[in-house]
Structure formats: C-alpha cells, structure tokens
Amino acid sequence: MFQIMKRQILVNIREKSNIFWTLFFPLILATLFHFTLGGTMGRHAMEDVQTAFVTDQSADPQEEEAFLEYLKSFDGDWFRILPMSEEEAREALKNDEILGIFYGGEEKKLVIGEDSTYTSILSQTLDIYEKNEHMLAQIAEEHPENLPAAIEAVSDWGSYTETVTFQGDSLDSVQNYFFALIAMTCLYGSFMGMYNTVGVQANTSDLGARLAAGCVKRYKTITASLLSSWLISFVEVLILLFYMDQILGDIHMGEQTGEILVICFIATMYSSGMGMVVGTIGTWSTNLKNGIIVALTMACSFAADLMISGVKEAVEKYVPVINRLNPGALITDAFYSVLVYQDVEKYQRSLLLLGLFGVLLLGTAVLSMRRMRYESI
C-alpha cells in the first residue's frame, strides 16, 4: 500500500498543471490580494471611542459625580471620557475629535456626531444609566429598605457580565477575501482526490487496469488513493498559511496554530472525499470530471466571499441553510472563530459539519469503488 501511495504522490507532484493550480495559483492570488487589498486592512480596526462630558453647574454635584463615575467605569482600552466645557466639546465634535457629548444635569442627554456603530454604543450607555436611575428612584419611593442592596447590585454590574473580546485586531471585511482564499485552497484538494481515484480504476486508467489485474487488494488501492491526495492537499495548505503568515503578514496565527491546523486537516479531508466521489462517476472523461470540480469549488468559494464581500452574509440572512452545507462558508466561519472572535461554539459547529460531510463523502466514494466490477480488463 505504501508503494502505491508513494507512486501516487510522485505522479501528482510531477503533474505540473495540478501543482500549479493547487499550490502556485493560490500563492499568486495571495500575493495579488496582499498588494491590492492589504493596504486597506486595518482601516476599520477598533478605534478609541472618545466622548466629552459637560457638567451642569446648576445640578446636584453628587449626582453629577455619580454620572461621571458611571461613564468612567467604561473607560478602558477603547472608551475615553474627556471632561470639557460646552464650547470645547462642541468644537471638538465639529472637528470630529470626539464622537459625542454627554450632558449632566437633571435631564441627561447625549449629542452625537456622525452616525456609526460607536454612536449606537454611546446611546445604549446613556439608556442603561437612565433605566437604572429610574429603577433606584422607584425602589427608594416604594421600598426604601431595599435601596442599599439595589445600589450595591447596580454598582457591581461587572460580576454579572462576561467579557467577550476579539482575538484579532480588525473588523475589516477585507479579511473575508483572505479567509475565502484559504478555503478555496483547501477545496482544491478535490482535484488530487479526483485524479488519484481515476488513476486506480480499471475502466478509466491503464495503470488502474494493471492494479486490478494484479494481486493488489482493492482496499489498499482505495486507502493509498485517499491518503496520498489528503497528504498533498494538507501540505499545500500549510505552505499557503506559512506564506500568508510569515512572509506577507496578512494573517496572524500566533497561539491559534493548533486550532488552524485542525481546520485545515478536516477541510482537506472533506475536499479529498468530494474529489473521490466525482472521480467515481461513471466512465466520464477526466476533463469533464475536472470541469465539475472547478464548478463546485468556484461556486463554494464565491458563496464564501472570495469574489465579492458580503455574499456569505446575504446568504446567512435569507437562506442560512446554504451556509451550513457550503464547505467554503464553514471553513471561513471556523477561521473567523479562531482569528477574530472567541466563538468556540461556531468553531466546533463548523468543524463538526465539515467532518460529518467529509466522512459521508469518503464513505460514498469507498462504497462506490468497492462495488466496481469489470467484465474484462
């Protein structure tokens, strides 16, 4: 079996067109993405949300201090509260130096500049304070004995929340293209699976006819075909990841290398299974089967945002079941879960679906190849 596997690997490596499209083409595409899209990455990175706080001199000082302390409790790596006079605040807002102005006083209010995701965060911040203020006032009126406990509960809000952070440093949609490129390269492993499967069948290959006529067990040829295509595809994806991480710097694997290797391992298993299934379809020509692989991989890659960003999001909104079936979308979701979000649930779901569909494809291909019988060789 190992001799067959070695032969299959050598045949694949010597086939220049296969190696070009499955290895060098993704490397070239990654380079083009780097020089055409890489310069736009980071433009939508998480920025400091700077806001002004204007004190109402006629208001209760303790109430003003309480509101300011509440706002400062959010002050961290991305949220800044800057005490200013009203004139300074309006000038800063006009010059886009801040995103909003919080006003103290009996009736607290917020003035915002350009509408964005961040301004909605500011609105929610004020809304939470006003709701808590109203709740405490109602408790003080109806059940004053419970007021100290209520104040303590409101002040200790941090213990009731869970902090969710980004692993990466950007929310930029440009990353879609790079993740989709990796997904496409994983799916290109189906070419190897198809060629290797065709190469061990007696009705589609002279070499397959010699293997069938010889004493080689059928399971050995099937196993060797699978492992050789899987190994080559996995190594090619690793080369692309190394190039994008260490040379281009468009992705940063860091401590998530293990999780990423698992994604690529399962994704290339899926692609090998898909290629083997296509390779077992009748006695169609290799060129026709190659065309089927191209159509499948390009359709999956397109729906995973390789050509146009936002396609996967639109599919998720209107027909989400397609993203659960599309291997390209599952691979990009897994990469997002590891490199951008700390979303273990989506990561596990994506791998589970990829692995399940991959096993089904491999099982279908193996059963199809084992049932093949030849009247004459």
Side-chain angles (χ1 to χ4, degrees), residues 350-366:
S350 300
L351 292 187
L352 179 62
L353 291 174
L354 269 177
L356 176 62
F357 295 147
V359 169
L360 291 176
L361 289 170
L362 288 174
T364 302
V366 169

Side-chain angles (χ1 to χ4, degrees), residues 102-374:
F102 285 103
Y103 286 90
E106 185 175 347
E107 293 185 4
K108 298 167 183 62
K109 62 180 181 178
L110 169 67
V111 175
I112 60 176
E114 182 182 354
D115 190 21
S116 69
T117 303
Y118 301 109
T119 54
S120 66
I121 294 175
L122 300 181
S123 299
Q124 289 294 322
T125 302
L126 178 60
D127 185 55
I128 291 172
Y129 183 84
E130 290 179 332
K131 287 181 178 178
N132 287 339
E133 187 180 41
H134 175 73
M135 178 188 67
L136 292 176
Q138 188 174 6
I139 292 174
E141 180 180 351
E142 299 177 0
H143 302 282
E145 70 279 3
N146 296 330
L147 184 59
I151 294 175
E152 182 180 357
V154 171
S155 302
D156 196 27
W157 61 271
S159 62
Y160 303 101
T161 61
E162 178 183 358
T163 300
V164 178
T165 59
F166 296 104
Q167 289 288 86
D169 57 359
S170 175
L171 300 175
D172 203 320
S173 60
V174 171
Q175 285 189 327
N176 293 357
Y177 295 106
F178 293 95
F179 293 156
L181 173 60
I182 298 172
M184 183 197 73
T185 307
C186 291
L187 294 177
Y188 270 8
S190 54
F191 287 105
M192 296 294 180
M194 184 271 291
Y195 286 127
N196 287 358
T197 302
V198 170
V200 297
Q201 294 180 76
N203 59 338
T204 56
S205 167
D206 293 337
L207 183 57
R210 290 197 294 271
L211 289 172
C215 59
V216 180
K217 299 290 185 180
R218 181 71 63 86
Y219 79 89
K220 291 184 177 181
T221 59
I222 296 174
T223 304
S225 175
L226 166 62
L227 293 180
S228 59
S229 61
W230 193 350
L231 178 61
I232 293 174
S233 302
F234 185 62
V235 171
E236 288 177 336
V237 175
L238 294 185
I239 293 173
L240 176 66
L241 287 174
F242 176 83
Y243 182 66
M244 295 177 69
D245 180 28
Q246 297 297 320
I247 299 178
L248 298 181
D250 291 322
I251 63 172
H252 306 283
M253 294 191 292
E255 297 179 356
Q256 289 72 45
T257 300
E259 290 92 336
I260 292 174
L261 292 180
V262 173
I263 298 173
C264 298
F265 185 81
I266 296 178
T268 49
M269 179 198 71
Y270 179 101
S271 63
S272 296
M274 183 171 70
M276 290 182 69
V277 169
V278 174
T280 59
I281 299 176
T283 58
W284 295 352
S285 67
T286 302
N287 288 336
L288 179 57
K289 293 179 179 180
N290 187 75
I292 294 174
I293 294 292
V294 170
L296 289 174
T297 55
M298 287 297 98
C300 293
S301 299
F302 174 79
D305 286 352
L306 180 63
M307 293 78 169
I308 303 175
S309 179
V311 174
K312 183 161 71 74
E313 182 179 352
V315 172
E316 183 68 27
K317 181 178 180 181
Y318 296 105
V319 198
V321 67
I322 294 180
N323 281 345
R324 306 297 176 267
L325 300 175
N326 178 12
L330 293 174
I331 296 170
T332 54
D333 281 345
F335 270 95
Y336 257 107
S337 302
V338 172
L339 295 179
V340 179
Y341 306 110
Q342 291 181 338
D343 194 341
V344 178
E345 182 180 351
K346 179 176 284 191
Y347 173 75
Q348 293 177 343
R349 183 189 70 189
S350 300
L351 292 187
L352 179 62
L353 291 174
L354 269 177
L356 176 62
F357 295 147
V359 169
L360 291 176
L361 289 170
L362 288 174
T364 302
V366 169
L367 289 176
S368 179
M369 293 176 69
R370 283 183 60 84
R371 291 181 177 181
M372 287 181 178
R373 297 293 183 269
Y374 311 106

Side-chain angles (χ1 to χ4, degrees), residues 19-49:
I19 296 298
F20 173 81
W21 288 109
T22 59
L23 176 60
F24 291 106
F25 178 68
L27 293 176
I28 294 172
L29 207 55
T31 305
L32 293 176
F33 279 6
H34 172 75
F35 287 108
T36 57
L37 302 175
T40 65
M41 292 185 68
R43 290 184 181 177
H44 302 285
M46 290 292 288
E47 302 173 350
D48 286 348
V49 179

